[in-house]
């Protein structure tokens, strides 16, 4: 059996449908949607995290209790009912798992493990759960105060109170009786036993935690967090006891047949991703597991990870780039320079953004790494002359130069060649940016992060050195996420649809050969990986990307349009409008303006404020420039009703409709038929205008979609692109379900088809019996002349041929003209069957 396929008796999904559960979409709501999803052709539900999350959570990644299923979603009983109903239809259940962190909720007692640690310190049964804090003797930093601690105490804002804490397992009064707490507005913190009667200032200083001004977090935070989110504390899932405790309920539900597979959130945050995945692999008997690993261009998923693959970002960006015309690169670059007044490269933008992050929101993490290295040097006489400042310079430059999320090095093991290569490539870049006097220090840092012997002979496996090997890549990943995806990708506005999670914006378009190369790699090495079009983390939905991508196919018209509308609205445009933000605004309008008009003003405003703060150039989350934000929003929303803008963008929509239609339908069909398990993010079976979260978590009208699909199945001709996408999605999903062996099985194969034009791509999916499904899709440019090109379909047995699922036409093997094959569609989906 293929090493990356599930074990015997374990389910492999053929397709999944992602449901963003929460107060507005409970287990009961999901159960009501099952008939529609089954009709659509879905084989497995893919649920967002189901464990108990912090109060008011809208996403579930802020878990507070691993022993309970979310109350607001319907509890364990609701999940079991949903699973039973799904299984009765032959559908499976995949659950999103968050192993990396837990929430620091308000009030803190909602996280029982954290409350216990805050109250009892080293004596807590959960003392080993959280990374940092207790080991330094100072206790966990709790940066929740609105002012410095002295000011808060003087103002009487921090008080000793007595409250009933549900479920507290502390000493003294049991559950239901008041216990002493420190109260700061809505925040409650436990009081360390036997310190209650101390004067307040002394009491505050004697706790197992340190209450602090919120700005202290960026400089002195002493526990690992999720990126720079202080309310998500990293947990030590590499500890066997922590792993067992945080996964017991999930494994119980898996063993009981309630859950069939798992999606693992952010494995790169873990101390030992491979070790974690191996433990998961063993505990589930090789269940189907995919990991949210973000692969940079040219990076491969580590072959020694016992998973089915990734969550599909690697496929998503390639499918979009396939629809991006490289001829649009130069005109759009010129427009970007015109709007921003800048001529810079993506590499420079990324370097500046990462440097800003390590100097601000992730400074505490960089300082901690430097302190670790400095401690190692101080303890070894041969290394003492490496100063703290030189070490920090080298750590900063190495992290900033890192070209991917992390390298995979395990303490006590020799660094794999790939990890060594990646670290040394980053070191070469760092060396070019450092004073020559720092080069010896850089060499030392490289040796230490690779776990190599450095300094005195034999000193390589000490605890502090092992900890550095673990912590360095965790920080690299955080800097990459915050510096590149959450900063640089909002600043780089050449073509914003390319700036997607796990994307490669430096590649302005890819061709069919690149797609085939990627698909062959997946078919050979990761046949049951996930493919995605949109996810809950996408910066914009797949159809918004398609509409923005169409700009590259009509660059001169777009440049003229922007210039004309800028002039027409110059009176309303703020004098201090940031050029990058303006470029993002125009492209966002192109991406969300449909034949029905623009999106709602409130949605556009919320997106632009979030995007601008993520840019961290002229406004930020911490220090927002409210006046400039208001000016931006006022200008942007006025465009939605400006007569010239409305007329021009309506005309633009009409102009690019054929390009957009081709891009939307081709991207969807390819995503549903290239190697892997095809995922549908809720609602993306029809077209949409979703932007970054929380915009992409808006409710989906499943009942309405079911009615539309029913009428289309009954023979009604699709009206508009949204219904065409629904017809195509259902057709592809049903073909997958009818021929699973051609898509995800042990024998699932992929072979490119000969096509006489670069504006089309074709391939065939095979099972053990041979060719089973053929796919042909067009790309780029106008439709004129494309119909005369041809594709060569595989020859089948004399009694068989190829039936078009979309048109009903039947074709023998051999060369077929695209015009005949496609009919009125820009794509063709063909199934081998008897004539």
């Amino acid at each position: 059996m293929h090493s990356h396929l599930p074990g015997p008796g374990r389910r492999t999904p053929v397709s999944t449908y992602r449901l963003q559960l929460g107060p507005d979409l409970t287990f009961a709501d999901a159960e009501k949607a099952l008939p529609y999803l089954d009709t659509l052709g879905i084989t497995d539900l893919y649920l967002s995290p189901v464990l108990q999350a912090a109060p008011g959570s809208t996403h579930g990644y802020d878990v507070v209790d691993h022993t309970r299923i979310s109350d607001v979603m319907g509890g364990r009983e609701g999940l079991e009912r949903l699973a039973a109903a799904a299984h009765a239809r032959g559908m499976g259940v995949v659950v999103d798992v968050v192993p990396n962190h837990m929430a620091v909720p308000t009030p803190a007692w909602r996280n029982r493990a954290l409350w216990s640690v805050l109250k009892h310190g080293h004596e807590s049964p959960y003392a080993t759960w959280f990374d940092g804090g207790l080991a330094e003797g100072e206790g966990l930093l709790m940066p929740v105060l609105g002012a410095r601690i002295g000011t808060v105490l003087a103002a009487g804002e921090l008080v000793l109170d007595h409250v009933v804490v549900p479920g507290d397992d502390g000493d003294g009064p049991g559950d239901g009786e008041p216990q002493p707490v420190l109260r700061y507005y809505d925040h409650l913190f436990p009081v360390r036993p036997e310190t209650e009667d101390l004067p307040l200032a002394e009491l505050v200083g004697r706790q197992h935690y340190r209450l602090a001004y919120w700005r202290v977090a960026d400089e002195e935070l002493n526990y690992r967090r999720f990126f720079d989110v202080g309310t998500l504390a990293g947990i030590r899932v590499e500890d066997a006891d922590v792993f067992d405790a945080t996964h017991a309920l999930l494994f119980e539900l898996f063993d009981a047949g309630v859950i069939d597979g798992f999606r693992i959130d952010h494995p790169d945050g873990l101390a030992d991703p491979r070790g974690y995945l191996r433990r998961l692999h063993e505990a589930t008997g090789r269940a189907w597991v995919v990991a949210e690993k973000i692969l940079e261009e040219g990076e491969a998923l580590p072959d020694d990870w016992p998973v089915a693959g990734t969550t599909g970002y690697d496929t998503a960006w390639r499918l979009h780039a396939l629809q991006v015309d490289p001829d649009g690169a130069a005109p759009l670059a010129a427009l970007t320079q015109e709007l921003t007044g800048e001529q810079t490269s993506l590499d420079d933008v990324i370097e500046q953004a990462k440097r800003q992050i390590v100097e601000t929101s992730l400074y505490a993490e960089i300082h901690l790494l430097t302190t670790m290295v400095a401690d190692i040097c101080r303890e070894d006489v041969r290394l003492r002359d490496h100063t703290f400042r030189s070490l920090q310079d080298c750590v900063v430059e190495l992290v900033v130069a890192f070209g991917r999320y992390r390298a995979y090095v395990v303490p006590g093991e020799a660094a794999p060649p790939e990890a060594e290569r990646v670290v040394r490539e980053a070191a070469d870049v760092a060396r070019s940016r450092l004073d020559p006097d720092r080069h010896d220090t850089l060499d030392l840092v490289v040796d230490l992060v690779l776990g190599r012997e450095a300094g005195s002979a034999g000193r390589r496996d000490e605890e502090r050195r092992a900890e550095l090997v673990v912590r360095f890549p965790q920080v690299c990943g955080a800097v990459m996420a915050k510096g590149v995806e959450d900063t640089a990708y909002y600043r780089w506005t050449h073509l914003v649809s390319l700036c997607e999670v796990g994307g490669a914006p430096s590649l302005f378009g890819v061709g069919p050969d690149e797609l085939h190369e990627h698909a062959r790699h997946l078919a050979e090495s990761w046949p049951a990986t996930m493919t995605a079009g949109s996810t809950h983390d996408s910066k914009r939905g797949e159809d918004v990307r398609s509409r923005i991508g169409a700009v590259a196919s009509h660059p001169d018209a777009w440049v003229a349009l922007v210039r004309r509308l800028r002039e027409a609205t110059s009176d309303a445009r703020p004098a201090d409008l940031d050029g990058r933000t303006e470029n993002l605004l125009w492209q966002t309008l192109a991406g969300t303006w449909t034949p029905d008009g623009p999106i709602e003003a409130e949605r556009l405003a919320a997106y632009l404020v979030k995007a601008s703060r993520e840019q961290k150039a002229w406004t930020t989350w911490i220090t927002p420039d409210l006046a400039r934000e208001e000016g931006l929003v006022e200008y942007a929303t006025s465009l939605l009703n400006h007569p010239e803008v409305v007329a021009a963008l309506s005309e633009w929509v009409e102009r690019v409709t054929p390009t957009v239609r081709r891009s939307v339908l081709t991207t969807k069909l390819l995503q549903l038929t290239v190697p892997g398990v095809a995922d549908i993010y809720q609602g993306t079976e029809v077209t949409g205008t979703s932007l970054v979260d929380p915009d992409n978590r808006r409710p989906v009208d499943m009942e309405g979609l079911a009615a539309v699909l029913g009428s289309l199945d009954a023979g009604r001709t699709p009206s508009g692109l949204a219904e065409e996408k629904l017809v195509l999605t259902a057709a592809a999903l049903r073909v997958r379900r009818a021929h699973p062996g051609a898509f995800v099985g042990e024998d699932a194969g992929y072979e490119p088809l000969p096509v006489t034009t670069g504006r089309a791509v074709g391939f065939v999916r095979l099972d053990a019996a041979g060719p089973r499904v053929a796919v042909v899709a067009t790309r780029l440019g106008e439709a004129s002349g494309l119909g005369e090109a041809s594709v060569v379909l595989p020859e089948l047995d004399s009694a068989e041929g190829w039936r078009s699922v979309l048109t009903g036409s039947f074709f023998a093997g051999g060369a077929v003209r695209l015009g005949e094959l496609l009919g009125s569609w820009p794509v063709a989906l063909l199934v081998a069957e008897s004539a």
Side-chain angles (χ1 to χ4, degrees):
M1 170 167 282
H2 196 290
S3 62
H4 294 300
L5 287 175
R10 298 309 186 207
R11 181 184 179 91
T12 301
V14 179
S15 61
T16 56
Y17 192 95
R18 168 73 178 202
L19 292 169
Q20 280 298 120
L21 300 171
D24 298 326
L25 183 61
T26 65
F27 297 134
D29 296 327
E31 189 177 345
K32 291 175 187 172
L34 284 176
Y36 162 65
L37 298 179
D38 193 7
T39 303
L40 186 63
I42 293 294
T43 70
D44 289 67
L45 303 183
Y46 164 23
L47 308 179
S48 60
V50 298
L51 298 178
Q52 187 66 42
S57 173
T58 59
H59 49 74
Y61 291 93
D62 42 2
V63 175
V64 295
D65 190 346
H66 294 90
T67 68
R68 289 165 53 211
I69 300 297
S70 169
D71 293 337
V72 296
M73 295 178 197
R76 178 168 180 165
E77 186 179 333
L79 175 60
E80 290 179 341
R81 270 201 312 268
L82 169 61
H87 290 143
R89 292 177 173 273
M91 302 170 76
V93 177
V94 176
V95 167
D96 202 337
V97 181
V98 189
N100 178 65
H101 52 265
M102 290 185 76
V104 180
T106 303
W109 57 258
R110 291 186 181 274
N111 184 334
R112 191 163 57 97
L114 177 64
W115 184 265
S116 175
V117 171
L118 296 178
K119 185 172 184 178
H120 300 290
H122 287 289
E123 296 177 8
S124 166
Y126 303 98
T128 61
W129 275 44
F130 299 95
D131 269 342
L134 295 179
E136 281 70 38
E138 189 180 51
L140 291 171
L141 187 74
M142 293 285 109
V144 300
L145 306 179
R148 291 182 173 85
I149 182 67
T151 303
V152 169
L153 285 170
E157 294 173 323
L158 184 63
V159 297
L160 182 68
D161 199 354
H162 288 77
V163 300
V164 173
V165 177
D168 183 38
D169 58 355
D171 58 313
D175 189 9
E177 294 189 29
Q179 63 171 276
V181 297
L182 281 170
R183 178 187 292 279
Y184 178 73
Y185 297 100
D186 292 337
H187 294 278
L188 297 179
F189 295 94
V191 172
R192 181 177 180 173
E194 301 178 3
T195 64
E196 176 185 357
D197 296 328
L198 294 172
L200 186 60
E202 186 178 348
L203 182 154
V204 169
R206 290 283 303 280
Q207 301 310 306
H208 292 298
Y209 52 89
R210 174 189 161 196
L211 293 177
Y213 179 35
W214 65 272
R215 287 185 180 270
V216 170
D218 287 344
E219 297 183 18
E220 297 186 14
L221 195 72
N222 63 356
Y223 62 85
R224 185 175 64 82
R225 51 189 169 167
F226 176 68
F227 301 151
D228 61 353
V229 184
T231 53
L232 295 175
I235 56 175
R236 300 183 65 250
V237 75
E238 65 273 17
D239 182 306
D241 290 339
V242 179
F243 177 90
D244 291 342
T246 54
H247 290 68
L249 176 56
L250 293 172
F251 290 159
E252 181 185 333
L253 291 167
F254 177 82
D255 291 338
V258 177
I259 294 172
D260 301 291
F262 300 99
R263 178 262 193 194
I264 306 303
D265 183 63
H266 186 47
D268 277 345
L270 303 178
D272 179 12
R274 184 191 65 184
Y276 168 82
L277 294 168
R278 283 180 173 174
R279 189 171 277 158
L280 190 71
H281 189 66
E282 293 165 6
T284 62
R286 293 180 60 180
W288 183 78
V289 173
V290 288
E292 190 208 17
K293 166 61 188 166
I294 295 171
L295 298 168
E296 298 305 308
E297 185 213 347
E299 181 182 6
L301 193 62
D303 192 59
D304 58 0
W305 282 18
V307 294
T310 73
T311 52
Y313 298 124
D314 46 326
T315 294
W317 76 259
R318 286 175 170 87
L319 294 182
H320 174 63
L322 187 72
Q323 299 296 327
V324 173
D325 193 331
D327 289 346
L332 295 181
L335 178 62
T336 300
Q337 186 178 348
E338 182 180 325
L339 293 181
T340 65
E342 299 173 346
Q343 186 170 11
T344 186
S345 69
L346 176 61
D347 287 344
D348 287 343
V349 170
I350 287 174
E351 182 197 341
Q352 292 161 9
K354 292 176 78 173
R355 208 171 284 285
Q356 179 176 338
I357 291 298
V358 302
E359 291 171 358
T360 54
S361 64
L362 291 177
Y363 172 82
E365 280 75 4
I366 295 293
H367 184 77
L368 181 60
L369 284 182
T370 307
T371 301
M372 287 182 184
V373 183
D375 288 348
I376 291 168
C377 292
R378 190 165 50 249
E379 293 165 4
D380 187 336
V381 67
R382 296 177 184 273
L383 302 178
R384 285 182 187 169
D385 283 352
H386 295 283
T387 66
F388 189 95
R389 184 171 177 179
S390 69
L391 292 169
Q392 180 153 300
D393 287 347
C394 293
V395 167
V396 166
E397 294 303 335
L398 190 59
V399 170
V400 168
F402 226 77
R404 58 181 63 175
Y405 262 65
R406 62 177 287 172
Y408 299 99
V409 185
V410 178
E413 296 182 16
E418 176 69 0
E420 183 140 352
R421 181 184 68 80
V422 170
V423 173
R424 295 205 178 280
E425 283 180 356
D428 289 342
V429 176
R431 187 172 285 106
S432 71
R433 297 170 178 169
L434 286 164
D435 187 278
D437 187 55
R438 299 287 200 242
H439 291 180
D440 285 348
T441 303
L442 177 64
D443 291 338
L444 168 66
V445 172
V446 167
D447 284 342
L448 290 173
V449 301
L450 286 172
R452 299 169 67 92
E453 186 173 273
S456 299
R459 302 191 71 165
R460 61 182 299 173
D461 295 327
E462 297 165 357
E463 184 177 348
R464 197 63 163 165
R465 294 184 181 219
E467 186 179 5
L468 178 67
V469 169
V470 168
R471 298 294 172 232
F472 178 81
Q474 289 177 311
V475 174
C476 281
V479 172
M480 192 77 177
K482 297 307 299 179
V484 179
E485 288 171 8
D486 289 350
T487 305
Y489 281 5
Y490 282 98
R491 294 179 178 180
W492 183 252
T493 59
H494 188 182
L495 186 69
V496 299
S497 60
L498 296 173
C499 295
E500 194 48 80
V501 179
S506 58
L507 293 181
F508 201 100
V510 301
D513 289 346
E514 289 93 336
L515 176 66
H516 290 317
E517 182 182 354
H518 175 67
R520 279 170 164 155
H521 168 68
L522 294 184
E524 292 169 6
S525 302
W526 306 96
T529 187
M530 182 179 274
T531 69
S534 302
T535 76
H536 59 283
D537 284 328
S538 295
K539 299 205 179 300
R540 48 193 68 79
E542 59 201 56
D543 306 315
V544 175
R545 291 200 298 275
S546 284
R547 295 188 200 99
I548 294 173
V551 166
S553 291
H554 306 269
D556 295 335
W558 174 253
V559 170
L561 173 71
V562 171
R563 286 174 176 161
R564 187 168 87 247
L565 294 185
R566 291 190 79 225
E567 184 176 348
T569 62
S570 59
D571 290 347
R573 187 170 64 250
D576 59 0
L577 181 60
D578 176 76
R580 289 170 172 170
T581 307
E582 185 184 358
N583 204 20
L584 176 69
L585 164 61
W586 290 116
Q587 291 185 44
T588 301
L589 290 176
T592 54
W593 208 293
T594 72
D596 295 327
I599 61 170
E600 300 87 341
E602 297 78 11
R603 289 176 57 207
L604 179 64
Y607 170 72
L608 289 172
V609 169
K610 176 170 182 171
S612 298
R613 291 180 181 180
E614 295 287 16
Q615 282 181 341
K616 305 171 190 67
W618 58 271
T619 187
T620 69
W621 292 106
I622 294 176
T623 54
D625 188 331
L626 298 179
R628 286 186 72 181
E629 289 180 359
E630 186 178 342
L632 165 66
V633 166
E634 188 174 332
Y635 174 60
T637 54
S638 74
L639 299 178
L640 304 180
N641 301 305
H642 191 287
E644 283 193 60
V645 175
V646 171
L649 281 171
S650 298
E651 182 184 323
W652 170 261
V653 168
E654 190 173 342
R655 171 195 285 266
V656 300
T657 286
T659 305
V660 170
R661 178 174 181 256
R662 181 179 301 112
S663 177
V664 166
L665 297 179
T666 288
T667 300
K668 199 64 193 171
L669 180 59
L670 295 180
Q671 186 246 318
L672 295 176
T673 53
V674 295
V677 174
D679 177 54
I680 304 289
Y681 183 72
Q682 59 178 36
T684 60
E685 62 269 41
V686 291
T687 53
T689 56
S690 289
L691 297 164
V692 74
D693 69 279
D695 191 68
N696 60 14
R697 295 200 296 264
R698 288 171 296 124
V700 175
D701 180 10
M702 302 274 184
E703 198 174 319
L705 290 175
V708 172
L709 181 59
S711 68
L712 292 168
D713 282 343
R716 181 172 65 79
T717 301
S719 172
L721 183 56
E723 291 190 357
E724 286 184 322
K725 189 180 183 188
L726 181 59
V727 166
L728 178 67
T729 301
L733 290 172
R734 291 165 184 175
V735 167
R736 292 182 67 91
R737 187 166 60 185
H739 304 284
F743 292 98
V744 296
E746 178 81 33
D747 300 307
Y750 176 97
E751 290 181 4
L753 292 176
V755 185
T756 62
T757 174
R759 289 175 47 214
V761 59
F763 55 84
V764 63
R765 301 307 311 272
L766 306 90
D767 59 19
R772 186 60 51 207
V773 177
V775 174
V776 180
T778 57
R779 57 186 291 268
L780 307 182
E782 302 298 331
S784 57
L786 190 57
E788 298 306 311
S790 61
V791 59
V792 181
L793 298 176
E795 300 279 359
L796 301 171
D797 291 341
S798 57
E800 288 190 312
W802 295 97
R803 181 181 62 82
S804 170
V805 177
L806 297 175
T807 68
S809 300
F810 195 84
F811 303 92
V816 183
R817 285 177 48 252
L818 290 185
E820 183 183 352
L821 182 71
L822 299 174
S824 62
W825 292 82
V827 295
L829 175 64
L830 306 132
V831 177
E833 61 180 47
S834 299

